[in-house]
Amino acid sequence: MITATNKNYTVFLRSSLLKTPEGEGEKHKARRKGLNMGTIDLFNRDKSLFLMKKLLPWTLCVLLPVSFFYPLPFSPSPNPHLPLSTNNTITYPSSLSASASASPPSSAEREKANETRCDYFNGEWVSDSRGPLYNDTTCGTIKEGRNCITHGRTDMEYLKWRWKPVECNLPRFEPQTFLQLIKNKHVAFVGDSMARNQLESLLCMLATASIPKLVYSNKTGKENQFSRWHFPSFKATISLYWSPFLVHGIEKSSTDPNNNLYLDHVDERWARDMDEMDLIVLSFGHWFLIPAVYHEGDSVLGCHYCPGLNHTEIGFYDVLRKALRTTFNSIVDRGTRGRGIDVIVTTFTPHHFEGEWDKAGACPKTKPYRNEEKQLEGMNAEMRKIEIEEVEEAKAKARKRLRLEALDVTKLAFLRPDGHPGPYMNPSPFVNGNARHVQNDCVHWCLPGPIDTWNEILLEMMKNWENQLRSQD
């Protein structure tokens, strides 16, 4: 066990061997005019003293699950290029109220949603008996560790909640509308396993209208690090790019216990394909909690817990900020070479471990928190704040030349302790009775589950962008 001490907190981290293969995709024809944005300058920010109290309990239980749930060791593969991707109707079984869940939103619901520019991130979870659009038998792309129903979870109440914004209604997901919006386009999910979790949710919902065809998969160990799906009827492509730091990083290994991040260089494993991307959905954050050494240019800026090395401890908040700015700068620079790229940043999603993750830590809640029960604070609030600030800073400097938004799901996720796989990350965890210790996943999300709401809001953001374009014509 390694004891990791930073300025404001102490963490415990188990070493693991992590490497990532290289992967990239084929080039598509540029489809839109370029956008331009000024360079985003870096800056540092002081950390408030209250984080010292708040970060300690949080980090004690988050770092180990992050390290545990990420990929197994493997050797890099030789630079594969991602190539380009039948239309079916899904029949729902009665177990999840299929007829109700598959019903489209009413016209009144759609009209209400469009009455005003809604703040979709301010609201509460309310009871909804309709259930999800899909289940474990109607979607074939659910990762095993997220397939809670198949793995034996019996309490189905976690599926019967919907997010209700204060100002308006959030319509149910319309797969045909989403597919029309990405017709002849390429959507790329870039980041860590939370990006993959959101992508898997989206594929399941889209499959209720059109079955995605897997056309590329770089699978090593148990994880698909770089994958691509195609919807032939819409000539639409959705891809996954594993990049937990967004910038160039060398993940820790048997010879180096620290991640090494190069903050002034974007990760080319995804960025080299940027000229074929129309929409990039970024999701990252958890991997910044792991010990690392930070590089910029030819210098070492410092580190986050690096015992035995003569580097200054600087934590990870400013590093997270720098990584996001480097990413935005790279997107803007490459986007101005002939086409523009829309960008959405899915904000940090908290975990819900009760107790230490490797000592019977679990997420036993079966209902959402009410707004008054829990306050977003500590590391959760700080990570979200950095991401929101950087998105707003980039938008301001772009002066409307870059379509960039934050998918601010931190609060939505924070209020859903019931939505994780928990012990059902593995099949039939209690088949032999109530075991003394069962491993829990309280970081990722069951499919179907609360994360489907992320994509409902994503669709509304895309529809709003489309309406803005039409109003300008």
Side-chain angles (χ1 to χ4, degrees):
M1 190 75 71
I2 301 172
T3 304
T5 305
N6 195 16
K7 292 182 179 179
N8 293 331
Y9 47 84
T10 302
V11 297
F12 295 92
L13 182 71
R14 173 179 296 165
S15 296
S16 61
L17 306 181
L18 297 167
K19 294 181 181 179
T20 307
E22 292 191 1
E24 62 173 312
E26 89 295 342
K27 305 300 180 182
H28 291 288
K29 184 179 180 180
R31 287 178 288 271
R32 291 202 303 268
K33 293 183 178 180
L35 304 178
N36 189 22
M37 182 177 84
T39 301
I40 305 176
D41 300 323
L42 302 175
F43 67 87
N44 293 318
R45 220 172 16 82
D46 294 334
K47 305 173 183 65
S48 56
L49 293 178
F50 85 94
L51 289 175
M52 182 179 296
K53 297 180 180 178
K54 301 301 182 183
L55 290 177
L56 178 58
W58 208 101
T59 45
L60 284 175
C61 49
V62 72
L63 292 187
L64 286 174
V66 169
S67 193
F68 180 85
F69 293 123
Y70 281 82
L72 299 174
F74 51 85
S75 300
S77 60
N79 241 2
H81 283 259
L82 293 176
L84 268 181
S85 334
T86 337
N87 206 358
N88 270 322
T89 301
I90 298 295
T91 302
Y92 292 87
S94 59
S95 59
L96 286 180
S97 301
S99 60
S101 63
S103 60
S106 66
S107 58
E109 193 175 28
R110 288 193 295 267
E111 290 172 5
K112 177 67 176 176
N114 292 324
E115 283 178 5
T116 180
R117 184 177 176 84
C118 178
D119 177 4
Y120 289 109
F121 312 112
N122 179 26
E124 63 179 342
W125 292 98
V126 298
S127 179
D128 183 4
S129 61
R130 291 178 295 178
L133 287 175
Y134 65 95
N135 62 33
D136 59 321
T137 64
T138 62
C139 180
T141 56
I142 300 177
K143 185 180 182 293
E144 184 179 355
R146 325 276 198 260
N147 205 334
C148 304
I149 300 174
T150 293
H151 283 182
R153 182 167 180 172
T154 57
D155 62 304
M156 297 291 104
E157 293 305 309
Y158 75 99
L159 297 173
K160 298 178 181 179
W161 297 90
R162 66 180 176 89
W163 180 250
K164 175 64 175 70
V166 172
E167 300 174 348
C168 61
N169 287 322
L170 175 62
R172 285 172 66 77
F173 189 82
E174 300 170 317
Q176 285 284 353
T177 301
F178 192 98
L179 288 167
Q180 286 292 340
L181 288 174
I182 66 169
K183 190 173 184 178
N184 300 314
K185 295 180 180 179
H186 179 194
V187 178
F189 283 78
V190 179
D192 55 24
S193 62
M194 300 310 297
R196 181 169 60 239
N197 206 171
Q198 184 179 353
L199 173 143
E200 291 164 346
S201 162
L202 178 63
L203 290 177
C204 284
M205 292 196 289
L206 293 178
T208 64
S210 179
I211 301 299
K213 180 181 180 181
L214 180 65
V215 294
Y216 177 84
S217 177
N218 184 342
K219 187 172 184 178
T220 49
K222 293 183 179 180
E223 307 291 345
N224 289 324
Q225 306 297 0
F226 301 86
S227 303
R228 178 163 293 184
W229 293 263
H230 190 61
F231 295 84
S233 298
F234 297 87
K235 297 181 180 178
T237 302
I238 297 179
S239 296
L240 171 67
Y241 290 84
W242 171 260
S243 183
F245 312 115
L246 302 185
V247 294
H248 178 57
I250 300 175
E251 295 171 26
K252 63 181 183 175
S253 68
S254 58
T255 58
D256 188 348
N258 301 297
N259 293 319
N260 281 268
L261 277 64
Y262 297 83
L263 300 174
D264 52 348
H265 297 288
V266 72
D267 184 358
E268 288 295 334
R269 290 176 304 174
W270 68 271
R272 72 184 72 179
D273 290 347
M274 206 182 295
D275 63 351
E276 69 180 56
M277 299 174 183
D278 297 280
L279 170 62
I280 303 175
V281 182
L282 304 173
S283 183
F284 77 130
H286 287 280
W287 275 67
F288 284 77
L289 311 182
I290 299 174
V293 176
Y294 307 126
H295 306 262
E296 192 168 45
D298 297 327
S299 303
V300 174
L301 292 180
C303 69
H304 167 51
Y305 180 63
C306 53
L309 298 180
N310 188 24
H311 300 317
T312 303
E313 288 281 349
I314 62 173
F316 58 83
Y317 288 133
D318 288 339
V319 171
L320 181 79
R321 189 183 296 276
K322 287 175 183 287
L324 198 50
R325 290 188 175 189
T326 295
T327 300
F328 287 157
N329 286 340
S330 297
I331 293 173
V332 171
D333 177 61
R334 302 185 192 203
T336 57
R337 298 177 187 175
R339 64 191 298 265
I341 305 171
D342 298 331
V343 183
I344 287 177
V345 178
T346 302
T347 60
F348 188 77
T349 54
H351 81 98
H352 290 95
F353 277 97
E354 296 184 10
E356 296 183 50
W357 82 276
D358 61 344
K359 295 180 180 178
C363 35
K365 296 287 191 298
T366 58
K367 292 183 179 180
Y369 290 126
R370 297 298 181 186
N371 285 341
E372 61 273 10
E373 286 186 67
K374 292 282 185 177
Q375 295 297 318
L376 189 65
E377 55 188 5
M379 187 195 303
N380 295 329
E382 187 70 9
M383 298 283 271
R384 171 194 173 274
K385 181 182 178 184
I386 290 170
E387 292 170 331
I388 295 294
E389 287 176 348
E390 290 309 304
V391 168
E392 292 304 313
E393 178 80 4
K395 287 171 61 177
K397 293 194 173 184
R399 299 182 183 181
K400 299 182 179 181
R401 287 172 291 176
L402 173 68
R403 294 208 301 192
L404 172 66
E405 295 289 347
L407 181 56
D408 185 10
V409 298
T410 305
K411 179 181 177 182
L412 284 74
F414 179 65
L415 296 176
R416 289 306 304 270
D418 58 324
H420 302 289
Y424 300 102
M425 61 180 286
N426 293 309
S428 305
F430 304 112
V431 67
N432 295 320
N434 194 6
R436 185 167 63 92
H437 171 62
V438 177
Q439 180 60 50
N440 277 247
D441 178 355
C442 301
V443 178
H444 302 100
W445 303 93
C446 289
L447 295 175
I451 199 168
D452 296 334
T453 301
W454 296 198
N455 291 315
E456 288 182 332
I457 300 175
L458 171 63
L459 174 55
E460 294 308 303
M461 296 168 69
M462 294 168 63
K463 287 162 62 177
N464 182 56
W465 277 350
E466 186 69 16
N467 290 337
Q468 289 177 356
L469 284 177
R470 290 176 179 175
S471 65
Q472 295 170 5
D473 292 341

Coordinates of all heavy atoms in Angstrom, one line a residue, residues 259-290:
N259 N 2.3 8.0 -13.4 CA 1.9 8.5 -14.7 C 2.8 9.7 -15.1 O 3.2 10.5 -14.2 CB 0.5 8.9 -14.8 CG -0.5 7.8 -14.6 OD1 -0.3 6.7 -15.1 ND2 -1.5 8.0 -13.8
N260 N 3.1 9.9 -16.4 CA 3.9 11.0 -16.8 C 3.0 11.8 -17.8 O 2.7 11.2 -18.9 CB 5.2 10.6 -17.5 CG 6.2 10.3 -16.4 OD1 7.0 11.1 -16.0 ND2 6.3 9.0 -15.9
L261 N 2.7 13.0 -17.5 CA 1.8 13.8 -18.4 C 2.6 15.0 -19.0 O 3.4 15.6 -18.3 CB 0.7 14.4 -17.5 CG -0.6 13.6 -17.3 CD1 -0.2 12.4 -16.4 CD2 -1.7 14.4 -16.6
Y262 N 2.4 15.2 -20.3 CA 3.1 16.2 -21.0 C 2.0 17.3 -21.4 O 1.3 17.1 -22.4 CB 3.8 15.6 -22.3 CG 4.9 14.6 -21.8 CD1 4.5 13.3 -21.5 CD2 6.2 15.1 -21.7 CE1 5.5 12.4 -21.1 CE2 7.2 14.2 -21.3 CZ 6.8 12.9 -21.0 OH 7.8 12.0 -20.6
L263 N 1.9 18.3 -20.6 CA 0.8 19.2 -20.6 C 0.7 20.1 -21.8 O -0.4 20.7 -22.0 CB 0.7 20.0 -19.3 CG 0.7 19.1 -18.0 CD1 0.8 20.0 -16.8 CD2 -0.6 18.3 -17.9
D264 N 1.7 20.2 -22.5 CA 1.7 21.1 -23.7 C 1.5 20.4 -25.0 O 1.7 20.9 -26.1 CB 2.9 22.0 -23.7 CG 4.2 21.2 -23.6 OD1 4.2 20.0 -23.3 OD2 5.3 21.8 -23.8
H265 N 1.2 19.1 -24.9 CA 1.1 18.2 -26.1 C -0.2 17.4 -26.0 O -0.4 16.6 -25.1 CB 2.2 17.3 -26.3 CG 3.6 17.9 -26.5 ND1 3.9 18.6 -27.7 CD2 4.6 18.1 -25.7 CE1 5.1 19.1 -27.6 NE2 5.6 18.8 -26.4
V266 N -1.1 17.6 -26.9 CA -2.4 16.9 -26.9 C -2.1 15.4 -27.3 O -1.0 15.1 -27.9 CB -3.4 17.5 -27.9 CG1 -2.9 17.2 -29.4 CG2 -4.8 17.0 -27.7
D267 N -2.9 14.5 -26.8 CA -2.7 13.1 -27.1 C -3.0 12.8 -28.6 O -4.2 12.9 -29.0 CB -3.6 12.3 -26.2 CG -3.4 10.8 -26.3 OD1 -2.6 10.4 -27.2 OD2 -4.1 10.0 -25.6
E268 N -2.0 12.5 -29.3 CA -2.2 12.3 -30.8 C -3.0 11.0 -31.1 O -3.4 10.8 -32.3 CB -0.9 12.3 -31.5 CG -0.2 13.7 -31.6 CD -1.0 14.7 -32.4 OE1 -1.8 14.2 -33.3 OE2 -0.9 15.9 -32.1
R269 N -3.2 10.1 -30.2 CA -3.9 8.9 -30.5 C -5.3 9.2 -30.8 O -6.0 8.4 -31.5 CB -3.9 8.0 -29.3 CG -2.5 7.3 -29.0 CD -2.5 6.5 -27.7 NE -2.9 7.3 -26.6 CZ -3.2 6.7 -25.4 NH1 -3.0 5.4 -25.2 NH2 -3.5 7.5 -24.4
W270 N -5.9 10.4 -30.4 CA -7.2 10.8 -30.8 C -7.1 12.0 -31.7 O -7.8 12.2 -32.6 CB -8.1 11.0 -29.6 CG -7.8 12.2 -28.8 CD1 -7.0 12.2 -27.7 CD2 -8.3 13.5 -28.9 NE1 -6.9 13.4 -27.1 CE2 -7.7 14.3 -27.8 CE3 -9.1 14.2 -29.8 CZ2 -8.0 15.6 -27.6 CZ3 -9.4 15.5 -29.6 CH2 -8.8 16.2 -28.5
A271 N -6.1 12.9 -31.4 CA -6.1 14.2 -32.0 C -5.7 14.1 -33.5 O -6.1 14.9 -34.3 CB -5.1 15.1 -31.3
R272 N -5.0 13.0 -33.8 CA -4.6 12.9 -35.3 C -5.8 12.6 -36.2 O -5.7 12.8 -37.4 CB -3.6 11.7 -35.4 CG -4.2 10.3 -35.2 CD -3.1 9.3 -35.3 NE -2.3 9.3 -34.1 CZ -1.3 8.4 -33.9 NH1 -1.0 7.5 -34.8 NH2 -0.6 8.4 -32.8
D273 N -6.9 12.2 -35.6 CA -8.1 12.0 -36.3 C -9.1 13.1 -36.3 O -10.2 13.0 -36.7 CB -8.8 10.7 -35.8 CG -8.1 9.4 -36.2 OD1 -7.1 9.5 -37.0 OD2 -8.4 8.4 -35.6
M274 N -8.6 14.2 -35.7 CA -9.5 15.3 -35.4 C -10.2 15.9 -36.7 O -11.3 16.4 -36.7 CB -8.8 16.4 -34.7 CG -9.6 17.3 -33.8 SD -8.7 18.6 -33.0 CE -7.6 17.7 -31.9
D275 N -9.4 15.8 -37.8 CA -10.0 16.4 -39.0 C -11.2 15.7 -39.6 O -11.8 16.1 -40.6 CB -8.9 16.6 -40.1 CG -8.3 15.3 -40.5 OD1 -8.6 14.3 -39.9 OD2 -7.5 15.3 -41.5
E276 N -11.5 14.5 -39.0 CA -12.6 13.7 -39.5 C -13.8 13.8 -38.5 O -14.8 13.2 -38.7 CB -12.2 12.3 -39.8 CG -11.9 11.5 -38.5 CD -11.5 10.1 -38.7 OE1 -10.6 9.8 -39.5 OE2 -12.2 9.2 -38.1
M277 N -13.6 14.5 -37.4 CA -14.6 14.6 -36.3 C -15.5 15.8 -36.5 O -15.0 16.9 -36.8 CB -13.9 14.6 -35.0 CG -13.1 13.4 -34.7 SD -12.2 13.6 -33.1 CE -11.2 12.1 -33.1
D278 N -16.8 15.6 -36.3 CA -17.7 16.7 -36.3 C -18.1 17.1 -34.9 O -18.3 18.3 -34.7 CB -19.0 16.3 -37.1 CG -18.7 16.0 -38.5 OD1 -18.5 17.0 -39.3 OD2 -18.5 14.8 -38.9
L279 N -18.2 16.2 -34.0 CA -18.6 16.5 -32.6 C -17.7 15.6 -31.7 O -17.6 14.4 -31.9 CB -20.1 16.2 -32.3 CG -20.5 16.2 -30.9 CD1 -20.3 17.6 -30.3 CD2 -21.9 15.7 -30.7
I280 N -17.0 16.3 -30.8 CA -16.2 15.6 -29.8 C -16.8 15.8 -28.4 O -17.1 16.9 -28.0 CB -14.8 16.2 -29.8 CG1 -14.1 16.1 -31.1 CG2 -13.9 15.5 -28.7 CD1 -12.8 16.8 -31.2
V281 N -17.1 14.6 -27.7 CA -17.6 14.6 -26.4 C -16.4 14.2 -25.5 O -16.0 13.1 -25.5 CB -18.8 13.7 -26.2 CG1 -19.3 13.7 -24.8 CG2 -19.9 14.0 -27.2
L282 N -16.0 15.1 -24.6 CA -14.8 14.9 -23.7 C -15.3 14.5 -22.4 O -16.2 15.1 -21.8 CB -13.9 16.1 -23.7 CG -13.4 16.7 -25.0 CD1 -12.7 18.0 -24.7 CD2 -12.4 15.7 -25.6
S283 N -14.7 13.5 -21.7 CA -15.0 13.1 -20.4 C -13.8 12.6 -19.7 O -13.2 11.6 -20.1 CB -16.1 12.1 -20.4 OG -16.5 11.8 -19.1
F284 N -13.3 13.3 -18.7 CA -12.1 12.9 -18.0 C -12.0 13.5 -16.6 O -12.9 14.3 -16.2 CB -10.9 13.3 -18.8 CG -10.5 14.8 -18.7 CD1 -9.2 15.2 -18.4 CD2 -11.5 15.8 -18.9 CE1 -8.9 16.5 -18.3 CE2 -11.1 17.2 -18.8 CZ -9.8 17.5 -18.5
G285 N -11.1 13.1 -15.8 CA -10.9 13.7 -14.5 C -10.4 12.7 -13.4 O -9.5 13.0 -12.7
H286 N -10.9 11.5 -13.4 CA -10.6 10.5 -12.4 C -9.1 10.1 -12.4 O -8.5 9.9 -11.3 CB -11.5 9.3 -12.5 CG -12.9 9.5 -12.1 ND1 -13.3 9.5 -10.7 CD2 -14.0 9.7 -12.8 CE1 -14.6 9.7 -10.6 NE2 -15.0 9.9 -11.9
W287 N -8.5 10.0 -13.6 CA -7.1 9.6 -13.6 C -6.2 10.6 -13.1 O -5.0 10.3 -12.9 CB -6.8 9.2 -15.1 CG -7.2 7.7 -15.3 CD1 -8.5 7.2 -15.4 CD2 -6.3 6.7 -15.6 NE1 -8.4 5.9 -15.6 CE2 -7.1 5.5 -15.8 CE3 -4.9 6.5 -15.7 CZ2 -6.6 4.2 -16.0 CZ3 -4.4 5.3 -15.9 CH2 -5.2 4.2 -16.1
F288 N -6.6 11.9 -12.9 CA -5.7 12.9 -12.4 C -5.5 12.7 -10.9 O -4.7 13.4 -10.3 CB -6.3 14.3 -12.7 CG -6.1 14.7 -14.1 CD1 -6.9 14.1 -15.1 CD2 -5.1 15.6 -14.5 CE1 -6.7 14.5 -16.5 CE2 -4.9 15.9 -15.8 CZ -5.7 15.4 -16.8
L289 N -6.3 11.9 -10.3 CA -6.1 11.6 -8.8 C -4.9 10.6 -8.6 O -4.5 10.5 -7.4 CB -7.4 11.0 -8.3 CG -8.7 11.7 -8.6 CD1 -9.8 11.0 -7.9 CD2 -8.6 13.1 -8.2
I290 N -4.4 10.0 -9.6 CA -3.4 9.0 -9.5 C -2.0 9.7 -9.5 O -1.8 10.7 -10.2 CB -3.5 8.0 -10.6 CG1 -4.8 7.2 -10.5 CG2 -2.3 6.9 -10.5 CD1 -5.1 6.3 -11.7

